[in-house]
Amino acid sequence: MLGRRIGSIGWFGAWCATAIVALALVGPRAARSQDLPAAEQAAIASAHPLATEAGHEIFGRGGNAFDAAVAVAAALAVVEPYSSGLGGGGFWLLHRARDGHEVMVDSREVAPSAATPDLFFDADGKPIPGATRRGGKSVAVPGVPAALVHIAERYGSLPLSVSLGPAVRYAREGFEVGSRYARIAKLRERFLQSLPVAARTFLDNDGAPRPGFVLRQPALAETMERVGARGRDGFYRGFVAQALVAAVNRAGGVWQPADLENYRVVERTPLRIDYRGATITTVALPSAGGIALAHSLQMLERFEFADARAPRNAHLVIEALRRAFQDRALHLGDDDFVAVPVERLTSRDYAARRAATIDPARATKSEELGNKRSMPPASGNTTHLSIIDRMGNRVAATLSINLLFGSGIVASGTGVLLNNEMDDFSLKADVPNAFRLRGGAANAVAPRKRPLSSMTPAFVEDEKGILIIGAPGGSRIVSQQLLAILDYVGSTTVDLARIVGAPRYHHQWWPDRVEIELDSFSPEWQSGLEAKGHRLRTVKRKWGNMQAVFKSKANGTVSIANDPRGGDVAWY
Ligand code: DON
C-alpha cells in the first residue's frame, strides 16, 4: 500500500584508505563499514570526514540529529564546495523520535520570477547552447540557507550560530584539500579560470591546488556568520542578497531582490512505499525520485525476486527503470504548478498493468513503449548525509548545486558559489539535460517553479532495523537507491558495506541503453543481458557517493558505510 504520509567519528585514515583501495577492486567493492557499540547509538555518514566531525562536535555540545544535520551540511558547503552549498538546494527527510513526526523539508531552488522558456532559446527558436548550465540564466534561487534556518529553529535544540560554528571555523581557518578536491578542481580548472571570483576562491594561484593545499574561504565564513546572527535575512536580504543579485545579473541573469526575499522552504508530506515487508519513506515532488522508486518497486513486486544483480533479475530491474523513467519524462514536474496524477502513478493497479508489459525473456525497446502518456487520461553535483542520534531522531538529506562547481558564479564578498539547477528543467521534449534526461511540459521553465529533481534520500524500515540512505549522481540516484533497497530487503542479514559498495547498473528510458560501472560485471553477465536485447554501455567512471547509516532492531547497534567510490569523481 502506498500512501502519502509524512521522514563518527574521525575515521579519516580508514575513510581515505577505503576510497583509494576501492579504486583498484573489481566486482563487488569492499566499502568499509563500522559498527558502533549499542551505547553509542548516534551515527553520521557524510561525504567528507571533516563534515562528519562537525556533526559529532555538535552532538558533543548537546545537539540533536537536526542540529548535527545543519552542522554537517554547512561543513560540506566548505569542504566540498563543488557538490553543494549555500548557493544550492536539496531535500531533507526528518524523523522526530518524540512523536514519530516525519516531514520532507523541500529546499529546492526556484526559478526567478522573470524566468520563462524564451530566455533559453535564440531568435530561430533553437536552444542557446549551454544557457541552462553557464551564466546568470542557469542559476535558480538557492534554498539551503533557508533550510538551515528552518531546521535549526523548528527542530533543533541549539542556536543556529552554534551549529554553524564548525563550518565557519573550517572556512575561516582553512582546511587541507584532499585528492578528491584536487582532482575535481583539475577537471574543472579551465571553467574556474574563466570566472575570476571563482578562480580566486577555489584555485591556488589560478591553478588546481595539490592535495595538502590549505583552502581558506573567509568571505563564506562571514556569510555563514550573518546567517547565524540574522537568520534568513542574513542571506535573503541586505549585503549578501544584493551581491548575489548583482553577480547573477552581471552574468546575464534576470534576478530581482524580491526573488530572494520571497524564497521559502516548503514542508511536504513524504511519499511512503510498502515493499515486501519494508516501509520506505522518501521524497515527494518536486523530486521525481520517490515516484520512480515507488513505481519500480511495485512493478518488481509482481515477480519472484531475490538478488538484484543476478542476470535474470537485473533484466527485470532495468525494465522497471525504463518504465519509471518514461513516466518521469512524460508526467512529472513541480506539482505546485502542474497537475501530476501522483496517486495513479504510484498505484499498485497501474504498476501491475505496466509490469505485465515486461517480457522476462526480452528487452523492450524504449520506442516500443511509445511516446504517449502511458497513464489513463481520466483521471522529473550533489552530496548526501545520513544521521541518527541517541534519541532516534533521523535525517537523510541530499543537497546539490547541480553540476560540479555549479554555475561557477561566486558573488564577490560572499563566498557563495551559485548553482546551475535551471538545467534540471526541460526545454523541449527532444532536448536532454546534462544527465541526458528528457522531459515534457510538466517540467517546463516557469516563474517561481521548482525544477524536477532526481534526489531521493530515504528511510527504509523493516523488522531488521532502520536504514538511512542516499546518494548523489543525477538521474543515476534513482537506480542506486533502487538497487540498495532491493539488496537490503532481499537479505535477512544486513551487510551495509556490501550494499553501499555493490556494483551498479542504470537505465533511464532514454537513451535506450543499460549503463554499467567499469570492471564490475562479468562477461557472462553482460552477454546474458545482451542476449535478451539490451544495449550495454560501460561507463568509465564509477558513479555515486552513497552514505548509509543502519540501526539494528535486534541489538540496537548502529553502523555506517561511506561509498568507496567517494574517491572517484561522481559525475558523467
Ligand atoms: O536534482 C537533481 O536531480 C540534480 N540536480 C542532481 C545533480 C547530481 O546529483 C550531480 N551528481 N553527481
Side-chain angles (χ1 to χ4, degrees):
M1 189 205 73
L2 185 144
R4 295 185 82 195
R5 286 182 271 152
I6 319 220
S8 64
I9 296 154
W11 297 318
F12 186 70
W15 189 89
C16 291
T18 308
I20 293 159
V21 168
L23 298 181
L25 290 177
V26 173
R29 276 179 301 279
R32 181 83 59 93
S33 83
Q34 190 133 353
D35 292 338
L36 308 177
E40 200 60 51
Q41 292 198 342
I44 298 172
S46 89
H48 198 288
L50 284 176
T52 298
E53 276 176 19
H56 282 288
E57 184 178 325
I58 291 308
F59 278 151
R61 299 191 62 165
N64 61 20
F66 312 118
D67 300 304
V70 168
V72 174
L76 287 167
V78 178
V79 298
E80 247 204 357
Y82 42 78
S83 280
S84 67
L86 299 192
F91 301 104
W92 316 64
L93 284 179
L94 312 184
H95 170 97
R96 188 167 58 200
R98 164 160 60 80
D99 55 0
H101 176 61
E102 288 191 330
V103 70
M104 161 181 169
V105 176
D106 168 2
S107 64
R108 181 67 161 168
E109 300 91 331
V110 304
S113 51
T116 56
D118 306 353
L119 284 183
F120 301 96
F121 290 92
D122 65 17
D124 301 328
K126 294 209 183 73
I128 302 166
T132 56
R133 292 174 211 167
R134 293 194 59 155
K137 291 179 201 160
S138 73
V139 189
V141 179
V144 162
L148 299 176
V149 174
H150 179 84
I151 291 168
E153 282 177 358
R154 189 166 295 188
Y155 300 99
S157 59
L158 294 176
L160 177 61
S161 57
V162 172
S163 300
L164 294 178
V168 169
R169 204 173 63 234
Y170 297 156
R172 179 161 292 129
E173 293 172 12
F175 70 100
E176 281 190 15
V177 306
S179 57
R180 180 170 164 79
Y181 184 101
R183 233 149 4 106
I184 292 175
K186 188 78 197 160
L187 196 73
R188 301 294 275 160
E189 192 175 40
R190 286 180 56 189
F191 172 66
L192 293 171
Q193 285 165 341
S194 71
L195 297 151
V197 189
R200 279 200 302 280
T201 310
F202 301 116
L203 297 178
D204 172 16
N205 270 321
D206 217 35
R210 289 171 186 278
F213 171 76
V214 176
L215 182 71
R216 292 190 179 83
Q217 300 168 77
L220 181 59
E222 249 177 68
T223 297
M224 286 182 170
E225 281 175 335
R226 282 175 199 270
V227 174
R230 297 182 51 213
R232 283 179 48 90
D233 287 356
F235 186 90
Y236 294 94
R237 287 174 190 271
F239 169 79
V240 174
Q242 283 158 19
L244 295 176
V245 171
V248 166
N249 291 348
R250 208 175 308 117
V254 293
W255 280 21
Q256 291 155 17
D259 292 328
L260 283 160
E261 285 164 22
N262 294 335
Y263 183 88
R264 293 287 180 278
V265 298
V266 183
E267 288 213 344
R268 299 186 192 274
T269 304
L271 202 66
R272 188 160 285 194
I273 310 159
D274 291 329
Y275 174 72
R276 296 188 210 261
T279 302
I280 296 135
T281 304
T282 187
V283 282
L285 289 170
S287 176
I291 294 172
L293 208 52
H295 190 41
S296 301
L297 288 168
Q298 287 172 339
M299 280 185 273
L300 291 169
E301 219 172 26
R302 315 288 305 177
F303 298 90
E304 284 293 309
F305 206 91
D307 174 10
R309 288 180 185 64
R312 172 193 170 271
N313 297 341
H315 166 71
L316 298 174
V317 174
I318 291 160
E319 291 303 314
L321 284 167
R322 182 196 306 282
R323 286 158 178 79
F325 271 94
Q326 183 193 32
D327 280 353
R328 180 199 205 277
L330 298 180
H331 300 286
L332 302 190
D334 180 350
D335 60 347
D336 288 346
F337 286 75
V338 292
V340 179
V342 176
E343 297 293 338
R344 281 177 295 137
L345 282 169
T346 53
S347 73
R348 282 218 151 78
D349 254 19
Y350 176 54
R353 279 195 293 115
R354 290 280 268 179
T357 69
I358 296 177
D359 180 343
R362 192 185 69 85
T364 309
K365 296 270 166 267
S366 284
E367 67 229 33
E368 289 170 27
L369 288 176
N371 229 343
K372 291 208 203 78
R373 291 172 172 242
S374 48
M375 286 284 300
S379 338
N381 250 312
T382 305
T383 197
H384 178 85
L385 56 98
S386 292
I387 301 184
I388 191 164
D389 67 17
R390 285 178 179 77
M391 285 82 77
N393 297 309
R394 300 175 226 150
V395 179
T398 310
L399 309 171
S400 183
I401 52 172
N402 200 22
L403 306 182
L404 293 171
F405 286 105
S407 67
I409 297 173
V410 180
S412 209
T414 69
V416 175
L417 171 61
L418 289 161
N419 68 83
N420 54 355
E421 218 76 70
M422 293 295 283
D423 191 60
D424 280 346
F425 280 116
S426 307
L427 292 187
K428 265 178 147 181
D430 57 350
V431 178
N433 77 351
F435 301 102
R436 300 187 181 86
L437 285 167
R438 294 184 171 201
N443 189 32
V445 177
R448 291 177 286 277
K449 191 174 172 188
R450 283 156 149 92
L452 193 62
S453 174
S454 301
M455 292 187 278
T456 318
F459 303 140
V460 186
E461 185 164 358
D462 66 359
E463 81 279 357
K464 299 194 291 286
I466 293 154
L467 176 67
I468 307 169
I469 193 158
S475 51
R476 293 174 184 144
I477 293 171
V478 177
S479 48
Q480 289 178 66
Q481 289 288 79
L482 177 62
L483 288 173
I485 291 167
L486 292 172
D487 289 347
Y488 175 83
V489 175
S491 169
T492 49
T493 56
V494 181
D495 182 344
L496 202 59
R498 200 176 167 78
I499 290 172
V500 167
R504 292 173 182 154
Y505 56 84
H506 172 76
H507 196 291
Q508 59 180 53
W509 174 60
W510 193 93
D512 186 355
R513 64 189 185 203
V514 183
E515 294 179 332
I516 60 172
E517 289 187 313
L518 185 67
D519 297 336
S520 297
F521 295 95
S522 68
E524 297 72 44
W525 188 95
Q526 297 184 39
S527 50
L529 283 173
E530 280 164 351
K532 285 183 157 56
H534 293 285
R535 217 153 48 86
L536 266 53
R537 173 176 174 260
T538 302
V539 178
K540 285 203 198 95
R541 293 194 176 107
K542 317 282 185 197
W543 62 82
N545 192 2
M546 186 170 269
Q547 305 297 332
V549 166
F550 172 68
K551 179 167 182 173
S552 158
K553 283 189 180 163
N555 56 19
T557 54
V558 288
S559 14
I560 66 158
N562 307 114
D563 199 323
R565 300 164 183 83
D568 274 1
V569 176
W571 190 39
Y572 277 75

